[in-house]
């Protein structure tokens, strides 16, 4: 969950969880903007991503996977195969933070706000 992100101990030494307004934004801009960056980050094919896995080229080499989310109050996992959801280090309020969402049905990528107790994937950046 985001509380693990906030400890600063989640990534190896000299690495950190990227913020939504700097690190993620820079990557998204570099990959051509919000309408196409998701596809350029996604693993190709439909072995793990649900069909149609729109726009997936993985030309970035990131190989984003659709791990979905773990619910806040229990150990139920949802949307595996549908969404690649990644925490950013950007906090919005006492209970919410910014996540990055990539969908199987889109080549786009979105910044969204959600509850900090959700279990999401994390991307680490070398400082």
């Amino acid at each position: 969950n985001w509380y693990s992100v906030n400890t600063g101990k989640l990534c190896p030494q000299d690495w950190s969880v990227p913020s939504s307004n700097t690190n993620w934004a820079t990557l998204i801009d570099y990959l051509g903007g919000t309408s196409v960056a998701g596809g350029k980050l996604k693993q190709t094919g439909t072995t793990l991503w649900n069909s149609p896995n729109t726009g997936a080229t993985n030309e970035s080499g990131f190989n984003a996977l659709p791990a979905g989310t773990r619910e806040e109050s229990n150990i139920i996992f949802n949307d595996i195969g549908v969404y690649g959801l990644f925490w950013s280090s950007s906090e919005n309020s006492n209970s919410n933070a910014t996540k990055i969402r990539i969908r199987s049905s889109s080549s786009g990528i979105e910044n969204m706000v959600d509850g900090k107790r959700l279990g999401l994937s994390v991307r680490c950046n070398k400082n």
Side-chain angles (χ1 to χ4, degrees):
N1 62 32
W2 190 86
Y3 297 103
S4 298
V5 170
N6 193 38
T7 65
K9 299 177 183 178
L10 189 63
C11 296
Q13 184 176 354
D14 299 324
W15 292 70
S16 61
V17 176
S19 69
S20 62
N21 57 353
T22 55
N23 307 96
W24 272 106
T26 299
L27 177 62
I28 291 166
D29 287 345
Y30 176 78
L31 294 174
T34 58
S35 65
V36 295
K40 293 178 180 183
L41 291 165
K42 288 192 289 184
Q43 177 192 54
T44 59
T46 55
T47 302
L48 297 174
W49 283 96
N50 286 0
S51 184
N53 199 13
T54 303
T57 65
N58 193 32
E59 65 184 77
S60 68
F62 179 65
N63 210 35
L65 299 176
T69 183
R70 184 197 48 82
E71 291 294 321
E72 293 183 22
S73 59
N74 53 42
I75 58 170
I76 295 174
F77 290 82
N78 291 317
D79 298 320
I80 296 170
V82 178
Y83 296 114
L85 301 161
F86 300 87
W87 278 125
S88 78
S89 63
S90 302
E91 184 175 30
N92 296 87
S93 69
N94 286 338
S95 58
N96 294 309
T98 301
K99 68 181 181 183
I100 307 302
R101 181 172 85 167
I102 303 171
R103 296 182 289 163
S104 61
S105 62
S106 172
S107 60
I109 191 168
E110 303 164 284
N111 284 326
M112 304 178 77
V113 175
D114 217 329
K116 293 177 180 179
R117 293 180 49 182
L118 286 174
L120 305 179
S121 298
V122 174
R123 170 181 159 239
C124 294
N125 272 2
K126 186 153 177 68
N127 297 335

